[in-house]
Every structure is written in structure tokens, then in C-alpha cells.
Amino acid sequence: MGEDGADGIGCVAAARRQYVTPSPVTSHSAMVLVQALFAGMHITASPALEYIPPVAFCALRLILALPFLGYLAHREGGRWFRGWEWFWPAPMGAAIGTAYVLIFVCNQRSGPNVTAMVQPAMPICTTLLSAALGLEKVSVGKAVGLAVATVGTATTLRVLEIEQGASLLDAVLLLTQANAYAVYVVLLTLALKSLDAQLRADLLKKKKEKEKETELVRERSDDVRSSVASSKKVAAPPGPMRFLFAATVVAEVGVAAIAAEDLVENIEWASLPPVAWGAVLYAGLASSCLAHGLNSWAISKVQGILPTVYSGVQVVFTVLFAYAFLGHPVGWDRAAGSAVTVFGVYLVSRAKFHEQHRKTSEEDDASVSDDASEMHLRVRRTSVDHIAVAVELGPAENKGVSRRNSTGLPPVASASELEAAARAEEEQEAHRARSLV
């Protein structure tokens, strides 16, 4: 093999290592690139919205994105919905569909800069809504961060200059867009917590049944022995990507229905300029597919609070791109307000991170007791558009279960990892039963 061939193989091997176990530079560079790609969507969509109405533009973006989101859902693993679980995609789709549409409505009305500047407020809206529903407590650190972020968002929206009419409506639309994402994230949290509790209950029940069957093996015939090996496996529940795919399907149905007249009659397809076609392709492929996939991979490799505050980088890129390519003024007061919002998000995220770390440490200390909680604090990380989301799945549902009865679920898990953990548990029980023969 020639020297060039050896170099090529070495490059492929190095790239593969970076994909599996990336360096911090690779992971954070990927997240910066993600925010630059989403900033590009704000910029490219701005002139295109003169030719394609915002709701129709959103419908075109989603139809391009759906095949890729379906692939991510399939790759994540886990089963499809069952019974009452089919309830979740409808409200999730309404929430995230509203967020998808309002990104372009706000872009057309307020411009790409202000639209991007409000995006960092989404984690703040999520924290407030979660606290209102009792999903998390607001500590002193979170309260300080929320106050700082509120001041920053108010500065970005120039609330002191808002008057009745268009400016008030624009502010309401911008806040509604951020809050719609927050509603989706909270619904996703509720769904994942419920499914996680059911999974742990099913695994614990199955383990107790196998322990009883193993005892019977010692006393009875080979027929009972075979029933241990043939018992039904517990499938991993739907994961975040499957919920996102299903919610986006619901959103696309609603958005396309609203935009049907524009898509069929009002848009002059034959005379659309290249800038409009390019913006649609960019929003559907570069933003929804490339950036979303890259963000999903990157946040799974980075621990801590930084993925949450990377939305502030999107603001920087949007302001620079809008100034360079569209000639839009920076608006330094709004830029400063957005920076304050990002700092508030950082404070809230840091408080959450320390809270999770403290809970895990307390459980580790308690694990020496047979009355300890079932497992470590577990977190599911996922991407919703440009936003990094960490859903805390605490052990509160199964308190008082001895660690000897632990289900062995990993602390940070995808649906496929949950399924693998359940399968490993079953194989261990089957091997233990066979060893008694």
C-alpha cells in the first residue's frame, strides 16, 4: 500500500476516534458550528420571506426535515407508542409547531437580529414553567439567574419603548415563540419521567418474577427451567427523538393545513428567485438536518452546563451575518440585553448542575445502606432544534427500594442503552438459572 493510502487510512481512523470519543475542542467546535448554521437560517430566511409567507415557509422546512428526524428516531432505538402514550404528540406538536412558525413570523416582522436575540430566553421560560408545575425547585442561585435573564430580555425587547399596536404585538409574538419551545420541553419532561417510572417498575417486577422462577428451578422440573429463558423481554420506551419526530409530524399537518392556500394559489412558484429556493433548502437541510444532527451528537459528548448557554453564540453570528450580508444595524442596546440574558441562563444552568451533582453525591453516600434509593440521578440529553435539553429522571418514583434490587440503568442513557441494560439484566438472570442445573 502506498504512502498516500496509508495517510488516508490514518485520517479515517482519526476521524472515527473523534466521532466516538471527541476531544473537547471537537465537541465545542461542533456546537459553535451548530449555532452558526442556525444563525444562517435567520439570515437566509429574511429576504426569502418577501416571496414566501412565513407559515408556508415553515411548512416547506418541516417537510424537508421530517425524513431526517425519522432517521434519528429510528437510530435512537426504543419501541413505538402504546395506548395512552399516543396522547403526547398532539399537545407537543401544537407547542413546537407554534415555535417553528413564529420563528419566521417574528423574522418577517422584527428582523433576524431581534428574533435570534430572544432565543437564549427559552431555558429561562422552561425553568419558570417547570417551577410553576412543581417539576423543579427555584433555589437562590436559580432565582438570581432568572432575575438577571428577565432584565436582559426586557432590554432586548426595549419594553420601555413598547406602545400599543404593532410594537406590543411584536413583543408578544417574540415571547410566545420562546415560551412555545418551553412548553414542548416541559411536556417532553413529563412524558419521559412517566415512561421512565413505568420502565423501572416493569424491570423491577420482571426481576422479582425471575427470582421466584429461579427458586422453582431448584425444586421442580426442566419445564420450569425453560420458562425462565423464554420469558418476554421488556422493551425500552420511546425516547426524545421519537417524541420530536411524532410532534413534528403533528406540527407539519397543522402548519400545512394553515398554509394550504398560500402553497397552492398565492405563491408564484415559477417566478421564485434563487434566494427563496436557497433559503428553503437551507432551512430544511442545513438547519433542520445537518445542524440538528450535529447538535444531537455534540451535546451527548459534553457534560455540564455549557451546551445550554451556547444559544448565545447564535446571537453573535446572527448579528455579524445580518450586518455583513443584509446591512442591518447591530442595535447595541439589544445586543447587550441578549448578553445579559445569556449570563442569566448561565447562572440558572450552573445552579441546576450543582443541584444535580449534590443529589447524586447524596445518593452515593446513602448507598451504603440497604434502605438506599434505587439508583443514581439519571439524565436524558437531547436536542430540540438549536437548543440543548437535559431531562432529569430522578429516582423519586421508587424510593425505598434496596440497591440490591437495582435495575442497573445507566446514569446518562439513550433508548438503545436502556434496552441494552434491560437485555443484559435478562441474560444475567438466564445464566444464573442455567448455572443451577
Side-chain angles (χ1 to χ4, degrees):
M1 182 180 294
E3 185 175 333
D4 292 341
D7 290 342
I9 293 175
C11 290
V12 170
R16 185 174 299 170
R17 285 195 300 271
Q18 284 297 313
Y19 176 80
V20 177
T21 55
S23 66
V25 173
T26 301
S27 300
H28 290 283
S29 297
M31 287 189 285
V32 170
L33 177 59
V34 165
Q35 299 305 323
L37 289 171
F38 276 106
M41 184 186 73
H42 296 305
I43 303 306
T44 56
S46 185
L49 292 173
E50 297 179 10
Y51 306 95
I52 303 175
V55 181
F57 192 96
C58 179
L60 296 173
R61 178 200 180 196
L62 295 184
I63 199 66
L64 290 173
L66 275 173
F68 183 72
L69 293 179
Y71 165 75
L72 288 180
H74 173 74
R75 192 169 183 271
E76 180 185 57
R79 58 172 174 77
W80 267 101
F81 307 119
R82 298 173 182 169
W84 61 268
E85 297 165 6
W86 286 101
F87 159 81
W88 291 107
M92 286 182 180
I96 203 166
T98 300
Y100 285 150
V101 168
L102 287 182
I103 284 179
F104 301 111
V105 172
C106 294
N107 192 325
Q108 185 185 55
R109 294 179 61 92
S110 303
N113 280 353
V114 179
T115 302
M117 287 174 182
V118 176
Q119 299 309 304
M122 195 285 297
I124 299 301
C125 298
T126 303
T127 299
L128 288 171
L129 185 56
S130 298
L133 294 175
L135 295 176
E136 65 175 281
K137 296 180 180 179
V138 179
S139 62
V140 175
K142 288 182 185 178
V144 172
L146 290 172
V148 171
T150 300
V151 171
T153 303
T155 303
T156 301
L157 295 177
R158 294 176 176 168
V159 293
L160 297 180
E161 301 176 14
I162 290 178
E163 300 175 356
Q164 293 291 333
S167 60
L168 177 61
L169 177 60
D170 291 340
V172 170
L173 290 174
L174 287 163
L175 289 175
T176 301
Q177 191 269 329
N179 278 284
Y181 270 126
V183 170
Y184 171 81
V185 172
V186 170
L187 288 171
L188 178 65
T189 301
L190 291 170
L192 292 179
K193 280 179 173 287
S194 176
L195 289 169
D196 179 71
Q198 185 61 50
L199 173 66
R200 287 190 287 168
D202 290 345
L203 288 174
L204 191 58
K205 179 181 177 182
K206 187 176 181 61
K207 187 166 186 176
K208 289 180 177 179
E209 290 174 352
K210 285 195 171 187
E211 288 174 351
K212 292 180 180 179
E213 290 175 347
T214 303
E215 291 296 328
L216 290 175
V217 169
R218 298 172 179 172
E219 303 171 359
R220 297 188 180 180
S221 64
D222 292 342
D223 293 335
V224 178
R225 204 173 303 150
S226 63
S227 71
V228 176
S230 62
S231 57
K232 187 177 180 181
K233 295 181 178 179
V234 177
M241 281 300 172
R242 196 170 297 277
F243 277 108
L244 180 61
F245 172 69
T248 304
V249 170
V250 173
E252 172 64 358
V253 171
V255 171
I258 296 171
E261 184 178 353
D262 286 331
L263 292 169
V264 175
E265 298 180 3
N266 297 337
I267 298 176
E268 298 179 0
W269 296 101
S271 60
L272 277 183
V275 67
W277 287 110
V280 169
L281 293 175
Y282 185 98
L285 301 178
S287 172
S288 295
C289 296
L290 176 59
H292 193 117
L294 189 60
N295 200 34
S296 299
W297 169 80
I299 64 177
S300 69
K301 306 296 182 180
V302 177
Q303 306 296 320
I305 62 177
L306 282 180
T308 308
V309 299
Y310 260 102
S311 56
V313 179
Q314 180 184 154
V315 178
V316 175
F317 280 118
T318 302
V319 169
L320 292 176
F321 292 165
Y323 180 78
F325 300 111
L326 302 178
H328 288 189
V330 174
W332 293 107
D333 60 331
R334 283 179 159 162
S338 184
V340 173
T341 300
V342 172
F343 180 63
V345 172
Y346 165 78
L347 293 177
V348 172
S349 301
R350 186 178 66 173
K352 286 186 177 182
F353 178 76
H354 289 320
E355 186 178 272
Q356 291 174 355
H357 181 72
R358 184 172 61 255
K359 288 180 181 177
T360 302
S361 299
E362 289 172 354
E363 289 179 13
D364 285 341
D365 293 340
S367 64
V368 296
S369 170
D370 285 343
D371 295 327
S373 180
E374 179 192 354
M375 63 184 70
H376 292 287
L377 183 72
R378 292 181 297 111
V379 176
R380 297 290 299 274
R381 289 185 171 85
T382 189
S383 173
V384 180
D385 238 359
H386 59 278
I387 304 157
V389 177
V391 179
E392 179 183 313
L393 303 177
E397 295 89 344
N398 284 336
K399 283 184 178 179
V401 179
S402 172
R403 196 169 288 268
R404 289 174 298 182
N405 289 332
S406 170
T407 57
L409 299 179
V412 179
S414 65
S416 56
E417 288 170 329
L418 290 172
E419 196 165 4
R423 191 179 302 115
E425 190 82 11
E426 292 164 356
E427 291 174 355
Q428 289 176 4
E429 291 292 339
H431 176 74
R432 193 175 297 117
R434 288 193 296 270
S435 66
L436 296 174
V437 180

